Amino acid sequence: MARRPLPRILSSGNASITRSREFARTAADNATDVLQPLITITRGLRLLAGAGRQKWAATPKDKRGPALFLVAACVLAFALMPYGSLIALVTVMAAAAWKGRERTPVKTGPDEAETARLRSLYEALVPYFSVADDPGPLFSHGGDWEKAFSGYEFDGDRRLTRLQITYPAYFTDSEAASRARIERLLHAKSGRGREYRFAWDEEGNHLVMTVLGALPTSIGAQRFVTAPGETVLGFTDGDAVQRTVPVHDGDTTRDVPPVVWRTGARSTEPHLLAIGQPGSGTTTLLRSIALQALQHGDILIVDGSGTGEYACLTGRDGVLAVECGLTGALATLEWAAHETERRLIAANRARQAGHPLPDDIRRPLWILLDRPGFLGHLAAADGRPDPQELLQVPLRHGRAAGVTVVLTDQFDSLDTLGEPVRTHCRARVVLGHCSREQVESVLGAEPHTTPATDVPPGRGYARLGTGPVLRLQVPATPDPYDEETGEAQRQTVLGLLPERHTAVEAAVPAGAGVPDPAPPRTATVAVEGLAVTD
């Protein structure tokens, strides 16, 4: 059968129909805006009437008579009152307008998408939190997820930001492998690319998963509000420590929670070991520590990599030596060992005589070594002793002598670290992207957070002694002589550096000056009778 052609109005009048529909829709919207007060009052009157009917239905029959009498008395009072009818009308209209206003509905539970995500997560946890002979399993396929998830929060993208799980008592939460399996599953199902913290309550059989925010990376080197003997390694989460320090972040000043490392005679972690990947920020950490140590002490720097990252410190007041070569490094470390012994003898004699400590041993001495494993390889090839052997005396007796040792190296040189370094460097830092196993090999404990995929320089973990593993972001302390350093950061670091030695300034020809942007590549610094040439 041949199809009949469409009417002309339907085949050729599409544009006119579309314009008519748009005009009608616009007119309806304008009418709604104009009549919005009337609509609101009408809705309020309907709600008030419904509330009145419910109140009347809930009133017992023996009390309905007195209620009617009370209502009639009120109506009569308004009728006899001057302008009473107008007041009553205005009151009813105001109550109707308030009752009929548009209010944002209060969310009392998860929506459909959030419920689907929670149910999917519940089903994924069933094989881990259930056994075959459990008569009343908390986790079962097709079970009630609301009994297992006692608390949950979502962000604007309907992704979990917090989840509290109640698990059965027979789950082996005391085993690290069992906990790691659950954490990996929750990390994968809740969304990768974010850091999660897992808090296990073995006593109450609860697990709380929380999404952590990013640590601030815009805080640079500055004078931190600390006491002598305290060094700010970086910044961490607000609920991880019980202290904050004021810092300058751009043009503002705010309080942030720091990771404070305490050194001195009463410190239980007198020495620090930092391990990281190439470009992870270990050199930045060492520069930050050097700038803070120069406020109250003297420093020796041994740059095993020989890249000149510490040239800005050469010849500064308080900087006894900056060494890059093997010969100078061995001579400097040998002097540091003798200096430690001298301080111990002087302190012992002063205590035996009942005198205060001499002034020449009160000022702390810091030994900063960057990549000692590389120097150890050069020493072995040249038939010389490993520089780490010269650190045994400062590491073992440095706390009593006021000597602090800080070592930084990379993961590929972790096996070359000697036993004194592993034993006495109880403050540990791991920087850069690394697995949980690598973090545990250095810190001695796994972090309670999942490693981040995108790690900025200076980001990692820290552990002081037997304390908890803390997230860490090192303050930005770039090399001021690096061409890629911004002008603002360059001036900030240069402003924190001490003045140059008089001897170094005298070695420069008259009129040449000692400009900061071009430090001398060769300098000789006398260290109490020991000439160290760089």
Side-chain angles (χ1 to χ4, degrees):
M1 181 182 295
R3 295 184 178 180
R4 301 177 63 181
L6 294 173
R8 180 178 181 82
I9 187 174
L10 297 179
S11 60
S12 61
N14 292 336
S16 301
I17 293 175
T18 302
R19 288 194 298 269
S20 300
R21 289 177 178 175
E22 292 179 356
F23 178 77
R25 188 180 297 110
T26 303
D29 293 340
N30 294 335
T32 302
D33 295 338
V34 173
L35 299 177
Q36 185 63 35
L38 182 59
I39 295 174
T40 301
I41 293 176
T42 304
R43 186 191 305 119
L45 290 174
R46 185 176 67 253
L47 294 176
L48 289 175
R53 285 196 302 269
Q54 293 178 1
K55 186 68 175 177
W56 178 259
T59 303
K61 292 184 178 181
D62 56 342
K63 295 183 179 180
R64 290 183 179 181
L68 286 176
F69 179 76
L70 180 62
V71 172
C74 292
V75 172
L76 181 60
F78 274 100
L80 297 177
M81 183 187 305
Y83 305 102
S85 302
L86 180 60
I87 295 175
L89 179 62
V90 172
T91 303
V92 172
M93 292 297 103
W98 177 259
K99 189 70 175 179
R101 72 189 189 281
E102 294 183 357
R103 288 169 290 185
T104 303
V106 179
K107 187 177 180 180
T108 58
D111 56 19
E112 184 177 354
E114 296 171 352
T115 302
R117 183 179 291 272
L118 290 173
R119 176 163 292 281
S120 175
L121 190 59
Y122 173 83
E123 295 290 339
L125 290 172
V126 169
Y128 300 91
F129 286 148
S130 62
V131 293
D133 54 352
D134 188 356
L138 182 62
F139 284 82
S140 61
H141 292 293
D144 187 6
W145 59 266
E146 294 182 355
K147 295 181 180 179
F149 298 156
S150 55
Y152 44 84
E153 296 178 6
F154 291 88
D155 57 9
D157 298 330
R158 291 184 173 86
R159 303 177 69 187
L160 277 169
T161 59
R162 186 180 181 276
L163 178 65
Q164 182 173 351
I165 304 174
T166 302
Y167 56 86
Y170 53 75
F171 176 72
T172 55
D173 53 2
S174 59
E175 299 178 3
S178 300
R179 295 196 305 267
R181 286 195 297 268
I182 300 299
E183 292 175 4
R184 284 194 296 267
L185 174 64
L186 293 176
H187 183 201
K189 291 295 184 180
S190 301
R192 300 185 184 274
R194 300 185 296 176
E195 286 190 80
Y196 297 86
R197 180 172 59 193
F198 300 95
W200 291 85
D201 182 11
E202 293 87 351
E203 186 177 0
N205 300 324
H206 293 288
L207 169 61
V208 179
M209 181 191 71
T210 309
V211 178
L212 299 175
L215 295 177
T217 59
S218 58
I219 302 176
Q222 54 192 280
R223 297 297 184 199
F224 299 109
V225 182
T226 55
E230 293 183 344
T231 303
V232 175
L233 300 180
F235 308 99
T236 184
D237 300 301
D239 55 352
V241 294
Q242 300 179 354
R243 176 180 176 181
T244 59
V245 294
V247 298
H248 298 288
D249 188 1
D251 297 333
T252 62
T253 301
R254 59 194 183 101
D255 294 338
V256 295
V259 179
V260 178
W261 172 40
R262 295 175 177 85
T263 58
R266 302 190 179 186
S267 173
T268 57
E269 303 88 22
H271 309 296
L272 175 70
L273 172 64
I275 303 295
Q277 302 286 0
S280 59
T282 54
T283 303
T284 298
L285 174 62
L286 206 61
R287 268 196 300 265
S288 176
I289 294 176
L291 292 178
Q292 298 179 63
L294 285 173
Q295 300 182 58
H296 307 287
D298 300 326
I299 65 174
L300 291 172
I301 300 178
V302 177
D303 184 8
S305 59
T307 56
E309 294 284 345
Y310 308 97
C312 60
L313 295 168
T314 302
R316 302 285 179 174
D317 289 339
V319 181
L320 304 182
V322 178
E323 284 298 334
C324 299
L326 177 61
T327 302
L330 292 175
T332 301
L333 295 179
E334 183 178 359
W335 176 87
H338 293 315
E339 174 64 12
T340 304
E341 295 175 350
R342 186 191 70 82
R343 289 181 172 225
L344 283 175
I345 295 173
N348 186 31
R349 290 176 178 175
R351 293 190 183 98
Q352 289 181 355
H355 297 157
L357 296 179
D359 295 337
D360 59 342
I361 66 173
R362 286 179 177 272
R363 189 171 175 84
L365 175 63
W366 292 70
I367 304 174
L368 311 180
L369 291 89
D370 191 2
R371 298 205 65 185
F374 184 77
L375 289 177
H377 178 73
L378 293 180
D382 200 18
R384 297 187 180 186
D386 192 338
Q388 295 186 44
E389 298 179 1
L390 301 174
L391 291 176
Q392 294 187 16
V393 174
L395 286 173
R396 292 179 178 177
H397 308 287
R399 179 173 59 178
V403 179
T404 302
V405 180
V406 181
L407 295 95
T408 62
D409 218 320
Q410 298 180 2
F411 276 103
D412 55 2
S413 302
L414 190 59
D415 297 336
T416 62
L417 297 178
E419 187 62 28
V421 174
R422 297 176 179 270
T423 302
H424 297 284
C425 291
R426 294 171 47 82
R428 303 288 181 88
V429 172
V430 176
L431 297 180
H433 179 69
C434 50
S435 62
R436 298 173 66 93
E437 292 75 13
Q438 289 177 317
V439 175
E440 185 181 9
S441 64
V442 178
L443 302 184
E446 289 188 353
H448 296 291
T449 62
T450 56
T453 55
D454 187 12
V455 180
R459 176 68 173 82
Y461 299 94
R463 189 187 187 199
L464 305 178
T466 58
V469 179
L470 305 175
R471 293 203 305 164
L472 178 70
Q473 178 62 52
V474 178
T477 315
D479 182 9
Y481 297 147
D482 190 354
E483 296 180 355
E484 297 182 358
T485 303
E487 185 62 27
Q489 292 183 330
R490 176 183 291 109
Q491 295 301 327
T492 299
V493 176
L494 289 177
L496 297 175
L497 290 172
E499 298 294 333
R500 290 193 178 275
H501 283 156
T502 306
V504 176
E505 294 178 353
V508 182
V514 187
D516 276 332
R521 288 295 179 180
T522 303
T524 301
V525 181
V527 182
E528 295 193 11
L530 174 65
V532 180
T533 303
D534 184 13

